[in-house]
Amino acid sequence: MCVKENFSEGGKFHALTEFVCNLYKSLKYKYNNMKILDKYILGQVIAMFLMGVFVFSTIIFASDVFMTLIKQIAKFGIPFKIAFIMILLNIPSVIVLTIPMGVLLSTVMTLNKLSLSSEITVMRACGIGLNRIAKPIFIFAIIMSLSSFFINESVVPVMTKQSKDLALWALGQKNIPDGKQNFIFKELNDNNVLKRLFYVGSCEKKTLYNVTVLDNSKPDTIQILQAREGKTSPDGWHFKKGAVYTIGNELNTSLFETMDVKFGLDLSKELNKNVAKEMNFVKLFKYLVKNGKTLEKPQSYIIELFDKIALPLTTIVFVLVGVPLAITPPRVRYNRGFLFSILLIFAYYVIRALSISFGENSESMIIVALAAWIPNIVLTIWGVWLYYKKVYTIS
């Protein structure tokens, strides 16, 4: 039952409920009136798509994301529980990459299977052309492209930011032994030379009391920080009520009520490389307009901006190329769909890697703007040619 009355209070909720009910009825009506051919093809495409996304996500996790996190755990001492949560937070970004792969695999495998079993030939004999056969697949690809864009815009930035903050928080907390008194811990540089020495009078509920920090990180300068309280956060160390003594060519002393210092957050430099992934298209565009001239390498940010649109559209491009490749000639009696899928995915990501690398090192803004689009442009031209040739030579 759909609530159609508008109440003075909660009117927006009832309007939203009515919209959802009407949308559900519309989709249900369209599904019930969908042609048997569309249901048959979509059923096989969706089943193969889910398997493809799972397989490709597992491969990417095992070869890239998981190994990167394991290295961070070993290097920075992040606890296993925190690392496991970070792995879960990286799932949406991996799914965005695997949706185009899954759609391509499902398209090629499904049509190749229908072609081998002569079902494509039977359909054509009944007057059903390739355009009509591919119609539900293109509709499915468009829906998956929009879903990929939605995930990449709304879910991935939040998850990426949470993963980075969690890593920084874990790094800041790893040397804080709660409940211990009168202890020290040190930070070494890459040459195992003392960089900073921390002395803490006591630690209760992750709050440090009577903190003294000997900072030897700057050449020819020694800084001594003393504070009554200190705490770690994803943004660094937060000190209260203290003083900083700088010993160099001359002695300087400064008092403070509160001070934020980034001590021992070396992981932040590595994680901040993905700062563009923490913003959606609109936020990244505004960030570039505001800070573009001050960025060290604005090319990577511009490429990431255009890639937020180009990557979801890859799903449709893959179908445009995959449909004609999946139609097997009568003399071929084996399923070559999986091989075609793997080769096409490999070719796409090789072109993508080369174009992005070339764009990041280019001074021309036109080339930088096209870097994310070059793989799609190349495959679209090839796909249109293949599709045209297949339709007008087989039909």
Side-chain angles (χ1 to χ4, degrees):
M1 294 294 294
C2 293
V3 182
K4 296 184 179 181
E5 296 81 10
N6 289 324
F7 299 99
S8 58
E9 295 183 2
K12 292 183 179 180
F13 172 77
H14 293 299
L16 179 61
T17 304
E18 182 179 0
F19 172 76
V20 173
C21 289
N22 291 334
L23 179 62
Y24 171 75
K25 285 184 177 180
S26 176
L27 293 175
K28 185 177 181 181
Y29 174 80
K30 290 181 180 180
Y31 178 79
N32 290 334
N33 290 274
M34 190 184 294
K35 300 295 183 181
I36 296 176
L37 174 63
D38 296 334
K39 292 182 181 179
Y40 177 66
I41 294 177
L42 278 178
Q44 298 191 51
V45 167
I46 292 174
M48 188 61 65
F49 167 76
L50 295 176
M51 187 197 74
V53 169
F54 175 77
V55 171
F56 289 125
S57 298
T58 303
I59 293 174
I60 292 177
F61 253 108
S63 60
D64 185 15
V65 178
F66 187 75
M67 293 304 299
T68 300
L69 291 174
I70 290 298
K71 290 179 181 178
Q72 291 178 356
I73 293 171
K75 183 176 181 179
F76 299 104
I78 298 175
F80 177 78
K81 291 182 180 180
I82 303 298
F84 181 74
I85 297 176
M86 290 172 59
I87 290 174
L88 296 180
L89 292 173
N90 279 274
I91 290 178
S93 61
V94 175
I95 291 179
V96 168
L97 290 174
T98 57
I99 284 179
M101 302 180 192
V103 171
L104 173 63
L105 178 66
S106 61
T107 299
V108 176
M109 292 292 287
T110 299
L111 292 182
N112 204 194
K113 179 181 176 182
L114 295 177
S115 181
L116 287 174
S117 59
S118 300
E119 293 182 66
I120 298 288
T121 304
V122 173
M123 293 177 191
R124 291 182 59 249
C126 296
I128 303 175
L130 181 61
N131 286 327
R132 180 62 185 85
I133 296 172
K135 178 182 176 181
I137 300 178
F138 275 106
I139 294 175
F140 178 73
I142 293 172
I143 294 174
M144 288 299 101
S145 179
L146 293 174
S147 301
S148 176
F149 180 78
F150 173 78
I151 295 172
N152 202 31
E153 285 293 288
S154 60
V155 180
V156 172
V158 176
M159 295 297 188
T160 304
K161 183 68 167 58
Q162 289 291 327
S163 178
K164 187 188 80 170
D165 289 347
L166 194 60
L168 296 176
W169 177 85
L171 185 64
Q173 294 288 317
K174 70 173 186 175
N175 290 320
I176 309 301
D178 203 13
K180 192 174 181 180
Q181 295 182 349
N182 298 320
F183 62 93
I184 63 171
F185 54 93
K186 58 186 178 180
E187 179 186 354
L188 304 178
N189 59 20
D190 296 334
N191 298 320
N192 289 325
V193 177
L194 182 64
K195 188 176 182 181
R196 296 185 184 93
L197 182 68
F198 297 77
Y199 167 80
V200 180
S202 62
C203 180
E204 297 178 7
K205 296 180 180 180
K206 298 298 181 180
T207 300
L208 310 176
Y209 295 96
N210 298 327
V211 183
T212 300
V213 181
L214 175 63
D215 189 350
N216 195 35
S217 59
K218 298 179 181 179
D220 302 325
T221 301
I222 296 177
Q223 283 189 325
I224 300 175
L225 183 149
Q226 290 184 318
R228 292 186 180 180
E229 293 184 17
K231 222 172 188 180
T232 60
S233 69
D235 297 324
W237 289 72
H238 183 72
F239 295 103
K240 293 182 180 180
K241 298 179 180 180
V244 177
Y245 307 96
T246 303
I247 304 173
N249 295 329
E250 57 183 19
L251 177 64
N252 293 322
T253 303
S254 59
L255 304 178
F256 62 87
E257 285 294 322
T258 61
M259 176 181 286
D260 294 322
V261 186
K262 290 184 177 295
F263 281 153
L265 297 179
D266 297 330
L267 183 59
S268 61
K269 294 181 181 179
E270 181 176 345
L271 295 179
N272 280 334
K273 295 178 181 178
N274 296 324
V275 67
K277 296 184 181 297
E278 300 173 15
M279 295 177 277
N280 58 28
F281 183 88
V282 176
K283 290 183 178 179
L284 182 55
F285 178 78
K286 292 180 179 179
Y287 180 82
L288 280 171
V289 171
K290 183 179 180 180
N291 306 299
K293 295 181 180 180
T294 61
L295 293 173
E296 184 177 351
K297 290 193 67 176
Q299 293 94 328
S300 59
Y301 291 85
I302 297 173
I303 293 174
E304 182 67 30
L305 178 70
F306 286 102
D307 193 52
K308 290 181 181 294
I309 299 176
L311 184 59
L313 289 179
T314 304
T315 305
I316 303 174
V317 175
F318 273 171
V319 172
L320 184 63
V321 179
V323 168
L325 285 179
I327 307 300
T328 307
R331 64 181 180 274
V332 178
R333 305 309 303 168
Y334 63 92
N335 194 325
R336 58 186 188 179
F338 183 77
L339 178 62
F340 275 160
S341 301
I342 298 301
L343 292 177
L344 187 55
I345 291 171
F346 177 77
Y348 169 80
Y349 281 102
V350 167
I351 298 173
R352 174 183 167 87
L354 291 175
S355 63
I356 289 179
S357 177
F358 186 67
E360 289 178 343
N361 295 283
S362 174
E363 297 297 331
S364 173
M365 285 296 104
I366 297 177
I367 296 177
V368 174
L370 287 175
W373 290 100
I374 289 176
N376 285 355
I377 294 172
V378 171
L379 289 184
T380 299
I381 295 173
W382 185 38
V384 169
W385 179 78
L386 286 176
Y387 197 88
Y388 177 86
K389 183 179 178 182
K390 186 66 68 173
V391 169
Y392 288 96
T393 55
I394 291 183
S395 302

